Amino acid sequence: MTPRVADRAMPDEFASPPIASGAEQVSPVRLWLRLLSCTILIERRLAGALRMRFGTTLARFDLLAQLAQSRDSGARGLTMSELSRRLMVSNGNVTGLVSRLEAEGLISRRTSTSDRRAQIVCLTPEGERALEAMIPEHHAWLAQLFEDLSPEEREQLHHLIGSMKSAVERAPKPGAPE
């Protein structure tokens, strides 16, 4: 019987110094894998719910939400590059998504007055209505996914993940010369 991947010992080249955690040691690799698995589980649940309830994808929802957030902060839309940065995807992915949402009348594009090469993307009234229908359910689904955590645990987790994000932002990029 072949052991599962999780049961196999990691080769030395993948071993990493452990992070002290009380009486036990948690390696950075194990920590990363735990974070990744949680993220993937949450994304899959949300994506499935959005697909079943609204016939849309998580990527489409995220793009519409970014446009709404920018509007709420006083911006008059986002450039394609800014959307790409906020969504953490390539410009090519954003271009295809924007084209499809524009064809459905959920967003509009216009050329920037300050830079003729840039396009500004905005929600249309139809896009606003679609997003407004999804947001309450999206929030309810997230609440459901985290309902087994106490308010104190959620606060602690939020703080720890914030500390980790700051540490990662300060750390040198892997593979970059020191």
Side-chain angles (χ1 to χ4, degrees), residues 29 40 70 74 92 130 157:
V29 172
I40 290 169
S70 76
L157 185 58

Side-chain angles (χ1 to χ4, degrees), residues 19-142:
I19 297 172
S21 173
E24 89 180 43
Q25 303 281 315
V26 178
S27 76
V29 172
R30 286 189 61 206
L31 183 57
W32 160 241
L33 292 173
R34 175 72 52 95
L35 284 167
L36 183 61
S37 67
C38 286
T39 299
I40 290 169
L41 281 170
I42 292 167
E43 283 184 344
R44 284 182 182 164
R45 297 279 177 95
L46 292 175
L50 284 165
R51 187 175 43 259
M52 287 178 57
R53 175 69 177 93
F54 297 104
T56 195
T57 66
L58 187 54
R60 292 164 57 98
F61 173 84
D62 287 343
L63 190 142
L64 295 174
Q66 286 298 325
L67 291 173
Q69 185 178 28
S70 76
R71 178 203 59 217
D72 294 344
S73 66
R76 301 187 137 244
L78 294 172
T79 64
M80 299 284 278
S81 294
E82 180 64 13
L83 273 170
S84 175
R85 187 188 67 75
R86 287 182 178 208
L87 296 170
M88 296 184 274
V89 297
S90 72
N91 285 336
N93 286 346
V94 169
T95 299
L97 190 54
V98 164
S99 294
R100 290 187 294 279
L101 290 170
E102 184 179 35
E104 293 174 30
L106 299 175
I107 61 173
S108 63
R109 279 191 271 199
R110 69 179 189 290
T111 302
S112 170
T113 55
S114 60
D115 180 354
R116 306 290 299 165
R117 298 168 297 170
Q119 293 185 338
I120 308 294
V121 182
C122 301
L123 279 174
T124 63
E126 185 177 341
E128 288 178 20
R129 284 190 296 277
L131 186 61
E132 286 171 5
M134 290 184 269
I135 285 175
E137 293 196 44
H138 180 266
H139 288 182
W141 297 328
L142 283 170

Side-chain angles (χ1 to χ4, degrees), residues 2-8:
T2 306
R4 296 176 311 157
V5 171
D7 295 335
R8 295 184 203 149

